[in-house]
Amino acid sequence: MNSISVLSCLSLLLAAAAAQEAKPCVSPGLMSGGISVMGPNGLVMYTGTISYDAFGQRMRVRNYGVVGNQTFAMDQLMLFGQKVYYEINWSKLSCKKKALDTSFIPMHVPSDAKLMGQVFMGSSSSWGMGVLVNTWYGDLPHNGKYMTVFSEIGCIPMTFTAYSPESGWTTVSTFNWVLGNTNPMDYFPPFFCSKSQLEETEKPHNMFTALESLAMKTKKEE
């Protein structure tokens, strides 16, 4: 088979994939990768690592970034099954336990999400030049909105954008995903979190506001 025939076959496969109706999907059960976050009005920027366990409904995010002209480190463990998350401060060996709204879990497309469109990121002219992705949107609690992008093949998450009346827009980008987790202990709170009491809040954080909360507190303390 010559190269022209190979390209023709690949083009037909891509066209067939594009012609199928996109449906909400669920990401692979265990994944690790990189993450970057742009907070409200561009005041908060940070990047780091993310690990996700769909079987246990757990996520660990470690970030370093800047808010205003101040740097910060953030380590958060989100336990969706328990509806709580931990803000971990290793420099002080301290831990805060907070309520987590689990109505939106970022590693799957919600069943009530609406399809905005399907496009190639890059080019569809040849194999390896682009990735077929689906963009979905929907509502978050408390008058919030979200938009999220997943790959058509593999259901790999790429970007999440959320809006809330209180904090505005937040964009989360993920990259360099690999399947599997290397450290099962990532999903257990450190020993000094054992005595942490659940903080009472007017309403629980969702995934997006949890990622913002520690950084915005740093901003207020400047």
Side-chain angles (χ1 to χ4, degrees):
M1 184 180 292
N2 59 35
S3 59
I4 295 178
S5 299
V6 171
L7 290 177
S8 297
C9 290
L10 290 174
S11 297
L12 289 173
L13 289 173
L14 291 173
Q20 295 176 358
E21 181 181 356
K23 297 180 180 180
C25 61
V26 178
S27 298
L30 296 172
M31 298 195 302
S32 303
I35 185 172
S36 63
V37 178
M38 174 72 74
N41 301 317
L43 296 176
V44 181
M45 295 178 290
Y46 51 90
T47 187
T49 62
I50 179 172
S51 299
Y52 179 68
D53 170 17
F55 305 109
Q57 292 191 319
R58 304 174 291 186
M59 185 167 71
R60 186 71 173 264
V61 181
R62 295 180 174 92
N63 285 297
Y64 294 91
V66 293
V67 51
N69 58 2
Q70 186 173 348
T71 60
F72 67 92
M74 179 169 62
D75 185 355
Q76 289 181 309
L77 172 60
M78 300 184 190
L79 303 176
F80 294 99
Q82 299 178 29
K83 298 185 177 182
V84 299
Y85 77 98
Y86 292 88
E87 288 183 351
I88 303 163
N89 187 328
W90 289 96
S91 64
K92 298 180 180 179
L93 294 183
S94 64
C95 190
K96 292 186 177 181
K97 184 179 181 181
K98 300 184 178 183
L100 182 64
D101 183 336
T102 61
S103 58
F104 180 85
I105 299 176
M107 300 306 171
H108 73 267
V109 179
S111 59
D112 60 350
K114 301 176 180 65
L115 180 66
M116 179 176 291
Q118 186 178 76
V119 299
F120 277 97
M121 295 185 67
S123 172
S124 62
S125 297
S126 182
W127 180 258
M129 288 186 177
V131 178
L132 184 63
V133 301
N134 300 315
T135 301
W136 305 86
Y137 69 97
D139 297 321
L140 291 171
H142 313 296
N143 299 316
K145 303 286 184 182
Y146 73 86
M147 182 174 67
T148 183
V149 178
F150 282 75
S151 65
E152 167 67 15
I153 299 173
C155 196
I156 303 300
M158 295 185 173
T159 63
F160 314 97
T161 301
Y163 170 80
S164 68
E166 295 84 0
S167 58
W169 292 95
T170 298
T171 298
V172 180
S173 298
T174 60
F175 48 91
N176 290 344
W177 283 112
V178 295
L179 301 185
N181 291 159
T182 58
N183 185 7
M185 290 303 296
D186 270 352
Y187 302 113
F188 292 90
F191 68 91
F192 51 83
C193 292
S194 60
K195 296 183 179 180
S196 299
Q197 300 296 316
L198 183 65
E199 295 186 3
E200 293 186 7
T201 56
E202 186 175 342
K203 58 184 178 183
H205 285 287
N206 59 45
M207 174 261 187
F208 294 98
T209 57
L211 287 174
E212 296 169 15
S213 62
L214 188 57
M216 293 310 295
K217 187 186 77 168
T218 304
K219 176 67 176 175
K220 292 177 182 178
E221 291 175 351
E222 283 186 335

